[in-house]
Amino acid sequence: MLSNLEVSGTMALLGVLLLILLTVGLILFFRNKIQGYDVSELKEKYASGNYAASSAARTKFPETNAFSFSGPFLKYGILASLTCVLLAFSWTTREDAVIIPDDALELDEEIEIEPPRTAEPPPPPPPPPPPVIEEVPEEEIEEEDEPEFVDESVEEETVVEDAPVAEEAPPPPPPPPPPPPEEEEIFKVVEQMPRFPGCEDSGGTDAEKEECAKQKMLQYIYRNLKYPAIARENGVDGMCVVQFVVDKNGNVTETNLVRDIGAGCGQAALKVVEGMNNMSQKWTPGKQRGRPVKVLYTLPVRFRLEG
């Protein structure tokens, strides 16, 4: 019976306050009762007899002896302590119920999604044109003349001119700029899709872990999603679509609002998705051929007015 006892924080606080008021009331009751006795009447009552000669008569009368109530007060203290312990162990705190739409991850229609960027190598340069061989007619081929020998001996009267100074060679051209860094390919569908944290240690198959991760993600989103006040006042509801990339380390990057219904709903959805980087655990990255890769994730976020 007591194992199923549940006490809210308000009930526990009221119980403690009632015990305090009851304790104060008992103290005031017995205090007024003791102070209500007439001392002169008690002296006349116990003036004669063996009680007047006893040691107790020289200190207190039986009616005004507070220590005579120690037994009932001890039992009351034990009962009050057990009540406090019971309230403490029965104190139950429950999280607010998270309302998740049944079609939370279903897209109403095909969303035009920008294809992810891929690292495409630059096209190779075109091959050089083949050399053109022209046939020379035999008539144009002249016989080579015999080399003419020139006397280059130097005599005393010969004036030697200074050799021309060679012009300085122009500086070499600057080296070409380094090629831009190759961007990692972003996949849209991989063998193992990224998973929201919280289910990796639960055991089971990859399909069971993926389903568990989806439920954890929906609970996180709709527990932290703040419905904009302006959207409530104007009756704005519908579906926003957020795209983001889960990188190889499990971080949420490159968030992008694909569809917005206005009235601040799109920004509220982006804020919840970007807040995933502040969690204690990161996403489990997607894998392709056994290695982690970047994966594009499309997430619908529904704003629905109750009632």
Side-chain angles (χ1 to χ4, degrees), residues 45 63 67 89 139 176 181 233 240 247 301:
K45 180 179 178 181
E63 289 82 354
F67 290 100
F89 278 99
E139 292 79 6
E233 294 172 359
C240 296
D247 65 9
V301 180

Side-chain angles (χ1 to χ4, degrees), residues 133-173:
I133 301 176
E134 297 180 357
E135 184 178 359
V136 180
E138 295 182 357
E139 292 79 6
E140 296 183 4
I141 301 177
E142 299 178 355
E143 294 183 358
E144 296 182 357
D145 298 333
E146 294 183 358
E148 181 181 357
F149 294 96
V150 179
D151 186 11
E152 296 183 354
S153 58
V154 179
E155 297 180 356
E156 292 182 0
E157 294 80 5
T158 304
V159 178
V160 180
E161 297 180 355
D162 296 335
V165 179
E167 298 181 358
E168 296 183 359

Side-chain angles (χ1 to χ4, degrees), residues 165-211:
V165 179
E167 298 181 358
E168 296 183 359
E182 296 184 359
E183 295 184 357
E184 297 183 8
E185 183 178 0
I186 300 177
F187 294 85
K188 184 178 176 182
V189 179
V190 290
E191 298 172 354
Q192 178 181 316
M193 293 296 290
R195 292 196 289 259
F196 191 82
C199 298
E200 297 304 311
D201 298 333
S202 60
T205 62
D206 287 341
E208 293 174 348
K209 290 181 179 179
E210 186 173 353
E211 186 63 27

Side-chain angles (χ1 to χ4, degrees), residues 56-92:
R58 290 193 294 269
T59 56
K60 292 184 179 180
F61 299 104
E63 289 82 354
T64 60
N65 186 8
F67 290 100
S68 61
F69 304 107
S70 59
F73 271 104
L74 177 62
K75 295 177 182 179
Y76 171 76
I78 294 175
L79 179 62
S81 301
L82 291 177
T83 303
C84 291
V85 171
L86 181 62
L87 289 175
F89 278 99
S90 302
W91 186 3
T92 305

Side-chain angles (χ1 to χ4, degrees), residues 77-128:
I78 294 175
L79 179 62
S81 301
L82 291 177
T83 303
C84 291
V85 171
L86 181 62
L87 289 175
F89 278 99
S90 302
W91 186 3
T92 305
T93 57
R94 295 184 179 273
E95 295 182 353
D96 296 335
V98 180
I99 301 176
I100 301 176
D102 297 333
D103 52 352
L105 294 177
E106 296 180 5
L107 294 174
D108 296 339
E109 58 187 27
E110 188 67 23
I111 304 296
E112 294 184 2
I113 299 174
E114 180 183 356
R117 300 188 309 273
T118 56
E120 297 181 358

